[in-house]
Amino acid sequence: MNTNTEVIRKFYDAFKAGDAEAMASCYHADIQFEDPVFRKLKGDEAGDMWRMLLSGAKNLHIEYFEAVADGDEGSARWHATYTFSKTGRTVNNKIKARFKFKDGKIIVHKDSFNFWKWSSMALGPVGTFLGFTPFLRNKVSAQTLKLLKSYREKRK
């Protein structure tokens, strides 16, 4: 197993253990993170996202599969099952992750998942009927980024 594969496994093992600090330690200082909800985060924002999410997680269960790296790129599949705090609904999200590495750390992390499926589980009928629209995606992203900004201000 190569070093970058070990970094991916360390990241997800820390996630399973609820250890956001260990997750953030896998990131390069210049990390660029992207997913359908947070869109694009850079630097400390990415680590703070995991800190925020884990601090409020309810019934979180993480599994990961096929964590591999070849040279400076890698990938994994992971599943997150949790209770979405705003609605109390159970979410079972299936995510594909892509990574790039620099200096033995993750410098690019891109998670992709079906936003419509996620919004249907998390938001119920509203997500089912509007989850495919830019309106709902933009609204969810704006609310999530506002929560992250507030979390980061409290950490200062």
Side-chain angles (χ1 to χ4, degrees), residues 107-118:
I107 191 152
V108 175
H109 178 178
K110 182 175 182 180
D111 280 347
S112 34
F113 58 86
N114 184 312
F115 183 85
W116 175 78
K117 284 184 182 178
W118 174 86

Side-chain angles (χ1 to χ4, degrees), residues 70-81:
D70 182 16
D72 290 336
E73 296 189 6
S75 63
R77 289 185 313 109
W78 60 282
H79 296 174
T81 303

Side-chain angles (χ1 to χ4, degrees), residues 18-80:
D19 187 347
E21 295 307 320
M23 293 173 73
S25 76
C26 295
Y27 281 162
H28 190 280
D30 296 325
I31 180 69
Q32 295 178 30
F33 175 86
E34 183 177 349
D35 84 352
V37 173
F38 285 92
R39 306 271 172 101
K40 295 183 179 185
L41 302 175
K42 293 182 180 179
D44 291 338
E45 291 176 323
D48 283 345
M49 171 198 62
W50 296 117
R51 289 178 186 97
M52 179 186 79
L53 291 174
L54 286 175
S55 71
K58 293 182 183 174
N59 306 317
L60 178 65
H61 178 73
I62 301 295
E63 294 179 274
Y64 70 93
F65 317 90
E66 302 169 12
V68 294
D70 182 16
D72 290 336
E73 296 189 6
S75 63
R77 289 185 313 109
W78 60 282
H79 296 174

Side-chain angles (χ1 to χ4, degrees), residues 139-152:
K139 183 174 180 170
V140 168
S141 289
Q143 289 175 343
T144 305
L145 290 171
K146 184 177 178 182
L147 288 172
L148 180 58
K149 181 180 179 187
S150 174
Y151 177 84
R152 288 174 53 84

Side-chain angles (χ1 to χ4, degrees), residues 69-150:
D70 182 16
D72 290 336
E73 296 189 6
S75 63
R77 289 185 313 109
W78 60 282
H79 296 174
T81 303
Y82 58 94
T83 301
F84 188 65
S85 60
K86 285 200 168 205
T87 61
R89 298 176 61 86
T90 299
V91 173
N92 182 7
N93 201 14
K94 297 178 180 180
I95 301 109
K96 292 179 184 175
R98 307 279 310 157
F99 303 97
K100 291 185 181 177
F101 301 89
K102 181 178 179 183
D103 303 328
K105 300 215 178 224
I106 300 167
I107 191 152
V108 175
H109 178 178
K110 182 175 182 180
D111 280 347
S112 34
F113 58 86
N114 184 312
F115 183 85
W116 175 78
K117 284 184 182 178
W118 174 86
S119 66
S120 294
M121 289 182 279
L123 305 174
V126 169
T128 300
F129 293 112
L130 297 176
F132 63 90
T133 65
F135 168 79
L136 186 65
R137 185 178 296 231
N138 291 338
K139 183 174 180 170
V140 168
S141 289
Q143 289 175 343
T144 305
L145 290 171
K146 184 177 178 182
L147 288 172
L148 180 58
K149 181 180 179 187
S150 174

